[in-house]
Amino acid sequence: MLAQAYLLATRILIKLDEPQLGWMAADRARQFAAAGRAPVAVAEAARQQAVLARKAGWHDQALALALNAAADPALRELGSAGIAQRGLLVQCAAYTVAHQRDQAGMLELTSEATAIAKSLGAVTHLRDTNGGFSWATVQLHLISAENTAGDPSAAIAAADALAPQGLPTTERRALYFTDRAKAFAQWGRRDECIRALLQAECWAPQETHARPAAKFLVSGLLLSGRTTPELRGIAARTGVLHSQPTRPPIDRRRWMLSQSATRISAPPPGRLAVYATYDVVST
């Protein structure tokens, strides 16, 4: 029970971008899971540690954490639950390799995760483990991985092959549309990007409003081109609009007086110059 509580805390802290607290929670989860002889929970804690390592830019360590946990013989002895957890770890490793811009390695690991999912059938396993494991979750990771590897057209192709209704949780469906938005943004297709963000918001408003990735996309759209009512709306709802730097309003009278105070006219030959000065501060 304690291991599950700490795992839940770890996922929340990762989502809130609190890595230091996330590491502490993941370490506690792994310790309690090991003490309770719960191999699936141990493996899930290792996966969360791999996510934290990847987010910190420690890609080699993240890959080692995921693949070492996937190789634990105890998982194979647990039947479908252990095999599904191994699949989660392999798809996590694939996403990590994508951060290393190794598209071939990413596709190889994704194929391995896909084979594991197909061996388990159409059922989604481990639903209480951050969205479960199935062919659909592997395909969702592929969309993210193609985006990260820098191939938005491949990411859209992967997204088109997946019906979001087939994903096991509302959170995952929102992530699907957020990843589509990322791909369209990389591709320079603003209208499609905004539409995808609005679809993500429709599926999971609070999730989308809180996601740093969605905020980053909206902020980039505001700064890079024309602003539509739809874009202003989602910017306001995500809090991005209020965080954009704004220039203070200009006091036109004060500005004109300050300009006059610094303007000096050259005197005509043989005549005295007249200097106009103003007390700008007191006006």
Side-chain angles (χ1 to χ4, degrees):
M1 181 65 75
L2 279 173
Q4 293 299 329
Y6 274 111
L7 282 172
L8 178 60
T10 303
R11 295 186 197 114
I12 293 171
L13 290 166
I14 289 172
K15 189 175 294 185
L16 295 176
D17 197 23
E18 293 286 351
Q20 292 182 339
L21 293 174
W23 275 111
M24 292 173 61
D27 183 65
R28 291 288 182 88
R30 197 165 184 178
Q31 289 180 27
F32 281 118
R37 297 182 180 180
V40 170
V42 171
E44 178 59 17
R47 188 170 75 93
Q48 297 303 323
Q49 288 177 324
V51 171
L52 287 160
R54 183 181 68 233
K55 284 181 173 290
W58 307 334
H59 298 142
D60 290 340
Q61 293 90 331
L63 191 60
L65 279 164
L67 293 180
N68 287 342
D72 184 358
L75 291 179
R76 298 179 184 274
E77 298 170 2
L78 293 176
S80 60
I83 294 170
Q85 185 63 52
R86 181 170 173 269
L88 281 173
L89 287 159
V90 173
Q91 75 180 19
C92 176
Y95 189 41
T96 299
V97 170
H99 278 75
Q100 297 174 316
R101 297 285 176 163
D102 181 1
Q103 194 169 22
M106 178 272 289
L107 291 173
E108 181 180 351
L109 285 167
T110 299
S111 296
E112 183 179 347
T114 301
I116 294 171
K118 288 182 176 178
S119 73
L120 292 170
V123 179
T124 299
H125 296 269
L126 304 174
R127 281 182 174 271
D128 59 342
T129 308
N130 200 27
F133 177 75
S134 64
W135 174 86
T137 64
V138 177
Q139 191 71 10
L140 181 63
H141 269 70
L142 178 59
I143 302 168
S144 301
E146 294 286 17
N147 268 332
T148 302
D151 193 343
S153 62
I156 292 298
D160 288 342
L162 173 62
Q165 293 81 359
L167 291 165
T169 64
T170 300
E171 177 189 355
R172 285 293 180 236
R173 292 165 197 155
L175 178 59
Y176 167 87
F177 285 108
T178 303
D179 280 341
R180 278 186 76 95
K182 284 183 188 177
F184 283 131
Q186 285 191 64
W187 218 345
R189 293 163 62 173
R190 289 175 59 85
D191 291 342
E192 289 95 331
C193 177
I194 294 170
R195 260 198 305 275
L197 282 171
L198 291 172
Q199 287 174 299
E201 185 186 34
C202 181
W203 275 106
Q206 292 180 333
E207 173 76 16
T208 303
H209 297 165
R211 271 192 179 276
K215 291 175 181 286
F216 180 79
L217 281 171
V218 172
S219 180
L221 289 166
L222 285 172
L223 296 173
S224 64
R226 62 186 176 85
T227 303
T228 63
E230 293 81 6
L231 177 56
R232 284 195 299 272
I234 193 170
R237 292 188 294 275
T238 55
V240 171
L241 192 61
H242 305 297
S243 65
Q244 292 293 312
T246 57
R247 295 180 181 178
I250 296 174
D251 186 331
R252 187 171 180 80
R253 180 168 174 267
R254 185 181 293 269
W255 179 83
M256 291 176 68
L257 290 173
S258 69
Q259 295 301 303
S260 299
T262 58
R263 189 182 299 119
I264 301 175
S265 58
R271 301 190 62 176
L272 294 175
V274 178
Y275 295 88
T277 60
Y278 297 85
D279 183 5
V280 175
V281 175
S282 62
T283 56

